[in-house]
Each structure stands twice: as C-alpha cells, then as structure tokens.
Amino acid sequence: MKENNKTSRRDFLVSGLLAGAAITGCSKPNDFVQNQEVALTGEKVKLLSVEGEVIEIDKAYLKPVPNLPTITNEDERRGIPGKKFVMVIDLSRCKNLKKCQIACDKAHLINPGQNWLKIYPMQDSEHTAPYWQPTNCMHCDEPPCVKVCPVDATFKRQDGIVLIDNERCIGCRFCMAACPYSSRIFNWSGQDVPADIAALPYSCETSLPPKMGTVSKCDFCPDMNRKGELPHCVQACPNGVFIYGDMNTDIVSNGSETFRFSELIKEKAGYRLMEDLGTKPSVYYLPPVNRNFPFENGLENQSADDKLNTHKL
Amino acid sequence: MENSIRLSEEQITQDLLPQKFGKLGMIWVSILITICLVGVYAYYRQIRYGLGVTAMRDYVSWGIYISNFVFFVAISLVGSLITAIFRLSNVKWSTPLTRIAEIIAVSAIVFASIIIIVDMGRPERFTNLFLYGRLQSPIMWDVIVIGTYFFISILLLYFPLLPDLQILIKNKDKSGPKLNWLYRFQGSFWKGTPEQLKICNKAINTLSILIIPVAFTIHTVTSWLFATTYRPGWDSTNFGAYFISGAFLVGSGGVVVAMYVFHKFYHLEKYITDLHFDRMGRIVVLLSFLYLYFNVNEYLVPAFKMKKSEEDHLAELFSGDFSHMFWFAIFVGMIIPIIILLFKKGRKPLPMFIVGCMIVVGAWFKRYLIVTPTLLHPFLPMQDIPANFRHYFPSWEEWAITSGSLAGALLVITFFVRIYPIVPIYETITEQLESESHEN
C-alpha cells in the first residue's frame, strides 16, 4: 500500500479503492456477485489478486473505500525506522521571499496570521550585519515541550521528529510556554476545512484535519517523507535555502543540489540556535556569509505589522 | 461559679450558631450568584466558539486564567498555616480562626481546579490525564498534590466540626428540617465519648503534620509550572520559596478580611477580638517582609546583571507598560501594609481590614505580572503575526469567567457560614473551661 502512495492523496485514494475492491472480489467471489445488484457497464478492469493472479471484473463493482487509514497511530508515534531527519538552513541564500511560509500554510491549513515557519529579520548587535532567519520547529533531541506534556500528546520519534497527536492534546499550552523557539501555535477558534480533508481520518503525520483547541507546529512533513518527497517548504524555496535529509545516510538535499550533511556543516561552519539551553536541535544553520542577496532585498516582503524588528540571538 | 460557666456555655452556643441571612446577606448572595451566572454564560461561549473568545494568542498563551489559578492555589495555603502550623506549635489564640482559614483553603482549591479546566482548550479530554498521564510533567505533579491537598483540607474541616455537629443537632429547633437532616447525616455517629475524642484528636494531629509538606508541595509545584521553562522572569531557582512566601501573605490577608467581616456582620466581637487582629497583624508584617525579601531577590539580582534576555522584561516591569501595575503590587501589596501594621493603631480591626484588602488585591495583580509580561518577551522576537498578537488585555469573557470563579469561591464560604458555625463552638467552650480551671 505504501508503495502505491507515490504521487498525491487523491491518487492514493484511488489506488486504495482498487486494492480494496480486489481484496473483496478475490476472497469471496460468489458473495461479491450475488449480493450486489449493479448495472454492469461492460467495461472490464484488470486487478491483481492477493494470490498474485491477474483477474478481471466489471468496473461497476468498484466501490470507493472511504477513509482508508494510512498507518496506525502506533506507527506514527514510532517513526520511520533507521532514519534521523535533519534540516540545514543556509542563511546566505535567504531573502525573505516567504514562499516556504505560503506553501507550508497552505499544505497544513494554518489559520491566517499564524505560521509554523517564520522568517525573522535578525541583527545580533548594533554593529553587526542583519540577516533573514527562517525558523521552524527545531525537532530537538532534548525537547523541552515533550518533557512538560502531561498526556504524551507531543512525543519524540525514533527518526528524530517531534510530533503532536491532536486527538490526544488537552490544550493546556504548557509546551508553548516551554518552547524557547516560539515554534508552537494554538488553534484558538478552528477553521473552515474543505470537505474532502475534513472527511479524512486524523493523522499525526499530516496534522490533518486540524483540531480546534489543540497545539500544532512544524512536523518536518513525515507524510512527504513516506512518499519519498521533500517537505513543502524545501520544495517551495526557489533559492534552495532549506536543505533536508537523513543524518544516518549523511545525505541532505534542497531538491536541486545534494550534499553530504557532515561535509556541508564542516565546510560552512554550521551551528544551531540557542545551543546553551541544551535542547540539541535537529535544525542547523549556515552563517550568512558570501550572500546571494543583500539584506535589504527582503524588506519589501515585510508586512506592515512586522516593521523591522531586530533582536539578539 | 458553676452557674456562670453554664451561662457562658449557653451564651457561646447561642452566639456562634449559624445565622440566617439578613437583608444584607440576601443582597450579597444574589450579587454573587449573578456574577457566577454571567461567568457560566461566558464559559458557554468559550466552549462553543473556542478559546478564540479570549484575548490569549500564540505569544501570550497563558492569561488571567492561569494567574487566577496561581492566586487561588496561593490563598488556599493559609489553611495549612493557621490550622496546622499554629496547632503544632501550640498557638492557642488562633482557635477561632481555624475554620475561617480552612474553608478559605477548601473553596480556593476547588476553584483553582475549576479554573485550570476552564483554561484547557479541550476540557472534555480531561480524563486523558489519567489515561495517558506522564509523571515527568509538572502538570501531573500538580494534579496529584492538589488532589491530596483537597482531601486533607476537607478532613481538617470535617473532623473539628464533629463536636459542633452534635451541638447543632441538639439545637435542632434553630435550624430547619433539611439542615438537621444534613447535620445528622454528617455527624449523628458522634457521641462525644472520650474514646471518640481521642481518635479525633489523633487524626487531626496526624493530618496537621501531613498537610504541611503537601501545602509546601502544591505551591512549589505550581511555581515549577513556570520555573521549569527557559523564559526570562520564570527561569529562577528562587521560585518555589518566592511563591510560598507570597502565598502565606495573601492567605493571611484573606483571613484578616474574613475575620473583619464575621466580626462586624455576625457580631462575633467577643470571639474575634482586637487581640486576634493584633496578633494577625504581627504575622502579616512578618510575612510581608519575607515576601518583599524574595521580591528583592527575584528582581534586583537579574537587574544587576541585565542579561540581554532579561533586560526587555525587567524594563517593561520597572518603567514600561506594566510599571504602574508592578509598583502598585509592590507598594500596595507589601510596603504600605508593612508601614501601617508596624504601628499598634494600625493593627485595630478597621485598618487591618483595609490592609487585608490591599494585600489580596495587590497579590492578584502580582500573579498577573508573574504570568503575562514574561510571555510578551520570547527569546526570538515576535514576528509574522497580526498586531493583536503583540499585546494582551483580557476579553470580557475572560473577566466574566475570572470574576465568576472569585464570586463562586466567596459563595462557597458564604453558604458554609450559613450552615455551620464559623467559629468552633465546642473548642471555644473547652478552651474557656480550661482557662477558668487554670485560674482557679
């Protein structure tokens, strides 16, 4: 099933539908025909049975399987075996285009005014150079949010991802107070969700459908991972700022270029945010040197509410 | 001699039996019920439309619900001070105050639990705390110790009430059939035999010892809800002691206010005397100094260093948006009470009542200052958010729910006083007998 799920959710549902019909058709072929009174279309479809035989049935027998669950909550809590996901954010390439943010907000149905991914104008002190710093969840190895959660609604997976189970979250917001990176947002009043997404079974990996009264944050797109795709922000950035991958295989990519993670960090002197807090983030930054764009280019994208704010790291 | 004792015993009983609400009492109760009902309506709106009806947003994710919770937990600590600490250190004069302190403790801890559920985004998932509870979370510690504290406090209220229930049952013509049923239900097994008295005393002593560590724990754990995070203003090793000293102060302030009200409106001048006000005044001065000491530690030590992360937060408190409230809480909640109470005239009932009110109001705002300003100063600057995320002023629903919870706590105390004697009758009589036999 997982292998079928390569392109989009809609395709996935269609393939699930076919497979479901095939299983029903093969296990009880007689019931299948007898119990269903449908007008035959005459159009035949070839399906692969459980035994590996190719069988042919009329298209009219194909029925959609609604809300086919992808993977169990247990699997979602365990993570993808053998992986350790990391992200490298190259500050020398960012000019506050906000394409990452737009793609992320859209994919996760985030309410207007809230973001999982924020781009900060930073200036460490008066005489140092300003730069743009995209910040999402750091997926810390010592996550302060997970420590304080009273119900195990936010948890650390084997593959390094920190996720939230919105069906368990009680909405106490202790994790928001605990996170020093302000990466968590709360679903204060709910939102309008398109009917097809609202009908989906909830998944921690897609964080959909969104749940009112619970906390959400960047999930490192494990659903995209399972499909073998890069997270939405990585794909959306035209400048290749976000470089995402697996620490175990030591390969990270921004879609157009691929690097050895260890070499990239070594060559460009990668660092992590607020190292002194001991949170051990999975997100690394490359310093804003030899920049592709001057800082000022990004200013036009700053909203009126966010007039230049500079802050020390 | 025997006559005079019997007379005073009857008189004590007459004076201390619960009194029906007068006109003023009825007005008081109806105002409280109205405030509670408005709060219930506001909560209905919050359930229906989500926490979006509050002014809390992603940065200020805890608002007056949490500061009100801290306030309730703080004020409830006084039960352990007056009942347990005084009892174990053989302080006799506090007898008429024990029940006042204990009912304040019980009603405050009940409303602390209610208000924390009100703050939850998903109150219907409250049971998840028991289904999936993880012991490493300070919230679980709070759930455990608050539950324990509640049960010990209820027992410390109930056991000393048993001899009084017997007196109430004896005087059944003074109360209606419903109340009599309640008294009998709660205390008909009590015969006052020496055996029973012995068990009861032993139980109270055991509970008094037990409640002290539990009381210290509830407020220490409540302070850890903040101190276990990295945020400037919360990241402090001083927090447990700071919270406990503040809690004893606000609780004593609350007891002083209640003492004055009962002394004045229930005509208990013979039982809650100027001596009690004077003694409580001395205790309040001591506690104010103690709390002030912890405040100096909490604010001036970081201010001396002015680390970058602390600087914005402290500047906002000392001279920024929150400075009025900050200096109000410091002066009205600590310094002016100390000045007034250092004088003997300041420890008379009326000035004590005013000081008590100042301390309680100052303490409420102090809790607000502990919660909100810190959240407005995150490590990374506020960014990519609408303008209303940058400030916090509670919405009418938050005010209504908060006022409703405060009114509810007062209502519980008011009804308790209507049903049970607020000054222990039995203990007052025995202590009088003891002191008289001492004189003879």
Side-chain angles (χ1 to χ4, degrees):
Chain A
M1 195 73 70
K2 280 168 205 161
E3 282 69 38
N4 285 342
N5 186 10
K6 276 250 156 63
T7 40
S8 76
R9 181 165 293 111
R10 189 153 291 125
D11 289 346
F12 169 70
L13 281 179
V14 171
S15 63
L17 169 160
L18 291 172
I23 290 162
T24 327
C26 297
S27 55
K28 287 182 173 178
N30 293 330
D31 289 0
F32 187 75
V33 180
Q34 282 165 7
N35 292 348
Q36 316 222 352
E37 291 174 18
V38 285
L40 300 181
T41 57
E43 211 178 322
K44 300 278 181 185
V45 190
K46 282 201 171 82
L47 295 173
L48 189 66
S49 80
V50 186
E51 280 85 30
E53 301 165 51
V54 176
I55 57 163
E56 209 179 57
I57 59 161
D58 194 280
K59 209 177 180 181
Y61 290 118
L62 296 181
K63 280 176 74 184
V65 181
N67 300 341
L68 196 72
T70 45
I71 35 176
T72 61
N73 183 272
E74 222 169 276
D75 286 336
E76 288 181 333
R77 285 175 170 268
R78 201 175 297 128
I80 303 171
K83 300 274 190 183
K84 167 74 180 94
F85 293 110
V86 282
M87 183 179 269
V88 182
I89 296 178
D90 188 346
L91 298 178
S92 68
R93 300 173 177 216
C94 181
K95 62 165 185 172
N96 193 30
L97 265 184
K98 291 191 194 278
K99 299 274 188 210
C100 50
Q101 195 179 63
I102 294 162
C104 175
D105 288 355
K106 194 176 161 214
H108 301 105
L109 293 181
I110 298 170
N111 271 326
Q114 295 184 300
N115 304 290
W116 285 359
L117 200 163
K118 291 175 184 166
I119 302 127
Y120 296 90
M122 299 296 281
Q123 187 172 22
D124 298 355
S125 68
E126 202 188 336
H127 299 294
T128 57
Y131 56 94
W132 296 103
Q133 177 182 287
T135 302
N136 49 0
C137 174
M138 297 288 135
H139 296 274
C140 305
D141 287 343
E142 297 290 342
C145 51
V146 171
K147 260 192 221 169
V148 300
C149 178
V151 294
D152 204 15
T154 188
F155 48 87
K156 179 84 177 164
R157 312 202 308 177
Q158 286 178 3
D159 55 14
I161 295 181
V162 174
L163 273 195
I164 298 171
D165 184 343
N166 293 98
E167 287 199 321
R168 185 177 294 183
C169 174
I170 60 170
C172 70
R173 310 191 292 293
F174 198 0
C175 54
M176 297 175 73
C179 175
Y181 304 98
S182 306
S183 65
R184 290 175 165 250
I185 62 170
F186 192 71
N187 195 332
W188 298 98
S189 316
Q191 60 265 83
D192 291 330
V193 180
D196 55 332
I197 292 177
L200 289 173
Y202 171 77
S203 156
C204 312
E205 294 203 343
T206 57
S207 306
L208 290 174
K211 306 273 176 198
M212 183 168 94
T214 61
V215 175
S216 72
K217 66 161 188 70
C218 160
D219 55 15
F220 252 24
C221 290
D223 54 322
M224 301 291 275
N225 245 303
R226 291 207 192 253
K227 288 191 269 179
E229 288 181 42
L230 290 166
H232 299 284
C233 53
V234 182
Q235 291 191 31
C237 181
N239 298 322
V241 172
F242 300 92
I243 310 161
Y244 179 86
D246 176 17
M247 207 182 210
N248 290 343
T249 54
D250 206 22
I251 299 168
V252 289
S253 166
N254 59 15
S256 51
E257 300 155 278
T258 302
F259 304 91
R260 283 214 165 272
F261 169 75
S262 52
E263 279 172 19
L264 186 66
I265 294 298
K266 202 171 143 189
E267 275 169 22
K268 299 234 172 129
Y271 65 95
R272 303 186 291 190
L273 295 188
M274 301 179 211
E275 199 70 75
D276 55 322
L277 298 182
T279 51
K280 302 184 184 155
S282 299
V283 176
Y284 291 75
Y285 285 85
L286 303 182
V289 289
N290 301 326
R291 297 194 213 189
N292 291 359
F293 313 98
F295 174 79
E296 289 70 24
N297 280 15
L299 286 174
E300 62 199 44
N301 263 337
Q302 277 291 74
S303 68
D305 284 333
D306 290 315
K307 48 187 189 306
L308 185 61
N309 250 306
T310 49
H311 196 272
K312 221 177 171 178
L313 266 173
Chain B
M1 195 67 225
E2 216 189 354
N3 253 345
S4 75
I5 294 169
R6 187 170 295 157
L7 189 71
S8 78
E9 196 178 317
E10 272 166 14
Q11 205 183 339
I12 290 171
T13 313
Q14 287 315 311
D15 286 346
L16 297 182
L17 278 180
Q19 301 166 20
K20 285 209 171 82
F21 292 137
K23 203 175 167 188
L24 211 60
M26 290 308 256
I27 295 172
W28 169 248
V29 169
S30 25
I31 291 174
L32 290 182
I33 290 179
T34 314
I35 298 174
C36 283
L37 289 177
V38 175
V40 170
Y41 173 69
Y43 187 53
Y44 157 76
R45 279 181 52 84
Q46 184 180 307
I47 292 281
R48 186 156 175 204
Y49 302 107
L51 277 171
V53 302
T54 69
M56 290 186 278
R57 290 298 178 260
D58 293 340
Y59 283 98
V60 184
S61 51
W62 284 345
I64 50 171
Y65 294 155
I66 294 291
S67 51
N68 201 36
F69 163 75
V70 177
F71 174 80
F72 273 130
V73 177
I75 204 163
S76 82
L77 234 59
V78 74
S80 73
L81 174 71
I82 294 193
T83 323
I85 298 179
F86 285 6
R87 184 188 174 92
L88 295 176
S89 48
N90 258 331
V91 175
K92 287 280 179 228
W93 59 266
S94 67
T95 309
L97 311 182
T98 48
R99 200 161 288 157
I100 297 178
E102 211 52 59
I103 186 61
I104 290 178
V106 169
S107 73
I109 207 73
V110 167
F111 279 89
S113 319
I114 292 175
I115 206 76
I116 205 74
I117 293 172
V118 165
D119 186 68
M120 284 165 59
R122 285 289 190 152
E124 81 278 12
R125 294 182 185 168
F126 180 75
T127 45
N128 281 7
L129 286 169
F130 307 101
L131 294 174
Y132 306 111
R134 290 166 83 237
L135 264 185
Q136 75 191 70
S137 169
I139 287 188
M140 285 310 293
W141 311 342
D142 229 4
V143 170
I144 293 166
V145 288
I146 285 180
T148 313
Y149 188 73
F150 170 75
F151 283 111
I152 299 182
S153 294
I154 282 278
L155 292 177
L156 269 179
L157 191 62
Y158 180 55
F159 289 162
L161 199 61
L162 285 169
D164 282 4
L165 284 171
Q166 193 187 20
I167 295 169
L168 287 168
I169 292 168
K170 266 188 209 153
N171 290 279
K172 61 180 166 213
D173 48 314
K174 292 277 192 310
S175 46
K178 276 181 195 160
L179 280 185
N180 268 313
W181 179 87
L182 180 72
Y183 299 147
R184 258 199 298 278
F185 174 75
Q186 292 179 326
S188 61
F189 66 88
W190 181 265
K191 302 289 175 241
T193 60
E195 180 75 1
Q196 280 186 327
L197 276 172
K198 204 180 135 195
I199 296 173
C200 186
N201 261 326
K202 216 172 175 179
I204 295 173
N205 272 338
T206 313
L207 289 172
S208 299
I209 295 167
L210 270 181
I211 201 168
I212 294 170
V214 177
F216 273 67
T217 316
I218 59 165
H219 217 42
T220 307
V221 170
T222 303
S223 82
W224 287 346
L225 296 183
F226 306 99
T228 51
T229 71
Y230 297 105
R231 298 193 179 245
W234 292 353
D235 180 15
S236 159
T237 50
N238 194 19
F239 247 45
Y242 169 54
F243 269 47
I244 286 177
S245 63
F248 282 144
L249 176 62
V250 57
S252 307
V255 167
V256 168
V257 173
M259 276 164 70
Y260 182 80
V261 171
F262 296 131
H263 150 104
K264 185 94 182 159
F265 295 100
Y266 286 77
H267 305 292
L268 302 178
E269 291 91 343
K270 275 176 267 168
Y271 306 93
I272 302 175
T273 61
D274 281 11
L275 172 98
H276 292 105
F277 282 98
D278 185 71
R279 295 268 166 88
M280 277 308 287
R282 289 159 193 244
I283 286 171
V284 171
V285 171
L286 173 72
L287 292 170
S288 302
F289 270 121
L290 190 65
Y291 194 42
L292 193 62
Y293 166 76
F294 279 109
N295 272 277
V296 168
N297 276 280
E298 197 50 45
Y299 293 110
L300 292 189
V301 174
F304 185 87
K305 291 175 284 192
M306 275 298 183
K307 283 201 298 201
K308 181 69 194 141
S309 55
E310 303 269 354
E311 192 181 340
D312 297 340
H313 171 244
L314 289 173
E316 186 141 305
L317 290 180
F318 293 163
S319 55
D321 288 351
F322 288 99
S323 60
H324 295 294
M325 204 190 279
F326 179 78
W327 295 113
F328 173 85
I330 297 283
F331 277 93
V332 175
M334 282 166 256
I335 294 176
I336 300 174
I338 291 175
I339 296 171
I340 294 176
L341 298 182
L342 280 176
F343 297 98
K344 203 170 171 62
K345 274 188 185 163
R347 298 193 296 269
K348 294 277 176 229
L350 184 63
M352 279 288 288
F353 170 70
I354 296 167
V355 165
C357 292
M358 284 163 65
I359 288 174
V360 173
V361 173
W364 194 91
F365 283 101
K366 189 79 176 61
R367 303 305 179 278
Y368 183 85
L369 288 169
I370 290 172
V371 176
T372 299
T374 283
L375 289 168
L376 285 167
H377 295 285
F379 285 100
L380 294 169
M382 295 190 196
Q383 172 69 20
D384 288 348
I385 48 167
N388 67 329
F389 279 44
R390 293 179 189 275
H391 306 282
Y392 173 72
F393 188 80
S395 67
W396 79 260
E397 285 91 347
E398 284 175 276
W399 286 118
I401 291 172
T402 304
S403 315
S405 69
L406 293 165
L410 291 175
L411 206 57
V412 168
I413 298 172
T414 310
F415 280 124
F416 181 84
V417 179
R418 170 66 194 85
I419 299 172
Y420 303 102
I422 190 66
V423 171
I425 302 177
Y426 175 79
E427 281 173 77
T428 311
I429 293 171
T430 46
E431 269 179 23
Q432 191 150 324
L433 281 173
E434 263 173 33
S435 66
E436 271 168 31
S437 66
H438 220 67
E439 279 161 28
N440 293 347

